[in-house]
Amino acid sequence: MKTQFYILLSLKTPQGFADYGQYFFGNDREAAYELFRQLKGSEDLKDNCLLHIDLMETVDELPVKIKTICCTLEELAFNCKLIAREIFRLKNLEEIA
């Protein structure tokens, strides 16, 4: 079974964190890790951190959290733009190859 990678967006609510978005990378581990390294945010997950971005992997169809960063709204906007641009680039390169 193939391992799949994706980025999961979540925000803090009174009931806990709620997921609200995902960006899929397919099985390209290197691209997922490299992009996650470029994201703005902090690995210091404080109680007042309201926005999380998680690098996720599916192993035997089960989700596994690899890494999490906390970000501000401004950092989230930058990160979403970066993620969308990178996925667009990767998907278009797949079609050319």
Side-chain angles (χ1 to χ4, degrees):
M1 174 137 279
K2 283 188 179 179
T3 299
Q4 298 289 309
F5 296 91
Y6 61 98
I7 288 178
L8 181 65
L9 307 176
S10 59
L11 57 91
K12 191 171 187 177
T13 70
Q15 293 77 30
F17 279 89
D19 301 338
Y20 67 91
Q22 294 179 332
Y23 293 96
F24 291 94
F25 287 94
N27 61 351
D28 194 339
R29 176 187 302 269
E30 190 174 311
Y33 275 71
E34 178 57 32
L35 176 62
F36 200 82
R37 279 190 286 274
Q38 296 177 52
L39 299 180
K40 291 185 177 183
S42 171
E43 293 181 23
D44 184 17
L45 303 177
K46 301 174 186 168
D47 287 338
N48 62 348
C49 177
L50 302 178
L51 301 170
H52 279 187
I53 301 178
D54 303 316
L55 177 59
M56 304 290 292
E57 176 179 0
T58 56
V59 178
D60 295 327
E61 298 185 25
L62 296 173
V64 176
K65 188 181 301 185
I66 299 169
K67 196 168 190 179
T68 300
I69 61 172
C70 173
C71 59
T72 65
L73 191 56
E74 291 78 21
E75 291 169 332
L76 177 65
F78 172 88
N79 292 339
C80 287
K81 182 178 177 181
L82 180 66
I83 293 166
R85 184 175 55 223
E86 183 63 13
I87 290 175
F88 179 82
R89 186 184 69 77
L90 289 170
K91 296 301 179 188
N92 282 301
L93 286 177
E94 284 176 5
E95 290 181 14
I96 292 171

